[in-house]
Amino acid sequence: MAERSWEILESACHNCKKCRLSEMRTNVVIGTGNRNADILFIGEGPGEQEDLQGFPFVGPAGQLLDKMLAAIGLSRQEVYIANVVKCRPPGNRDPHEDEQASCMNYLRYQFLLIQPKIIVCLGRIAAQAIIEKDFKITKERGNWICRKGCWIMATYHPSALLRDETKKRPAWEDFKEIRKKLHELQGIAE
Ligand code: URA
Ligand code: SF4
């Protein structure tokens, strides 16, 4: 049943022409990881490597994300990783609001299938798409909100950490909070 639902999602995404990003893509990047994950990470959209390979976070930002996950005892196989838009914005520009809106139902569907306990928004674009339109990443990162039983937090995008070393410390604090919340929800003592 769930398998069939994933097949339907995949085929809808592979054939999708709902926004202009379909015109330039090499691959649709749907998501990767554990379809029963307790935690869902959401980035902005595919970059060059992701577009070429068809998987999210496989370029330099992805390598850093893998390291940060490992530091809190998680592997990419245990979590689920997706993006706000599934096709690469040209030149890695921000995805436009209409493109995000066109793509959002796929992500909603993924959320319903995965039923994660936690969502982590990676960067401003994901935070504004998921949490609040005017979300200020510098001020509001690291705060938990709970919506319909799902805990949601935003932290810096790993690309931002590669550009600005000073963001690494606060991002690490956020990741420690994520580990804590995950253990709490899984009933694991720290
Ligand atoms: N940046 C993102 O936001 N998503 C990816 O998949 C890769 C880089
Ligand atoms: Fe469809 Fe999303 Fe790709 Fe736009 S970005 S074409 S809505 S899959």
Side-chain angles (χ1 to χ4, degrees):
M1 164 64 184
E3 200 140 311
R4 182 80 192 108
S5 307
W6 281 101
E7 277 171 20
I8 292 167
L9 172 79
E10 280 169 356
S11 117
C13 291
H14 286 307
N15 295 308
C16 184
K17 292 197 169 80
K18 282 203 291 180
C19 85
R20 64 182 79 71
L21 298 180
S22 64
E23 292 160 24
M24 294 155 274
R25 72 184 174 220
T26 314
N27 283 296
V28 184
V29 178
I30 298 174
T32 190
N34 181 351
R35 292 172 172 181
N36 297 307
D38 284 337
I39 179 160
L40 166 63
F41 287 85
I42 303 176
E44 180 175 323
E48 185 184 24
Q49 281 307 312
E50 290 76 20
D51 174 63
L52 291 172
Q53 297 181 39
F55 295 98
F57 284 97
V58 289
Q63 286 165 16
L64 179 56
L65 178 62
D66 284 346
K67 276 194 206 162
M68 297 179 77
L69 289 174
I72 58 166
L74 291 172
S75 69
R76 169 180 277 261
Q77 290 75 39
E78 285 171 84
V79 305
Y80 196 90
I81 307 175
N83 282 304
V84 171
V85 293
K86 297 196 175 339
C87 304
R88 183 191 182 200
N92 297 351
R93 67 157 169 77
D94 290 351
H96 296 165
E97 272 187 31
D98 64 326
E99 295 158 354
Q100 296 182 34
S102 302
C103 215
M104 192 49 81
N105 269 347
Y106 298 132
L107 189 58
R108 282 199 192 99
Y109 192 66
Q110 282 172 299
F111 169 77
L112 292 172
L113 290 175
I114 298 165
Q115 297 183 276
K117 295 180 166 74
I118 295 175
I119 295 177
V120 178
C121 299
L122 297 169
R124 176 182 61 87
I125 296 285
Q128 292 184 342
I130 309 290
I131 302 175
E132 218 262 313
K133 202 171 172 295
D134 298 316
F135 194 91
K136 304 272 185 297
I137 192 78
T138 311
K139 260 195 176 159
E140 297 174 274
R141 49 146 275 280
N143 297 338
W144 289 111
I145 60 160
C146 187
R147 236 186 241 160
K148 295 182 192 161
C150 181
W151 290 90
I152 311 176
M153 181 211 272
T155 185
Y156 289 124
H157 192 288
S159 300
L161 308 181
L162 292 172
R163 284 192 303 267
D164 179 358
E165 287 269 320
T166 67
K167 292 194 166 81
K168 281 192 175 169
R169 165 71 43 192
W172 173 233
E173 295 302 324
D174 295 344
F175 269 69
K176 284 194 288 190
E177 282 301 314
I178 293 164
R179 176 175 59 192
K180 198 168 143 199
K181 180 67 81 187
L182 188 61
H183 285 178
E184 214 173 276
L185 296 171
Q186 291 175 332
I188 298 170
E190 283 277 309

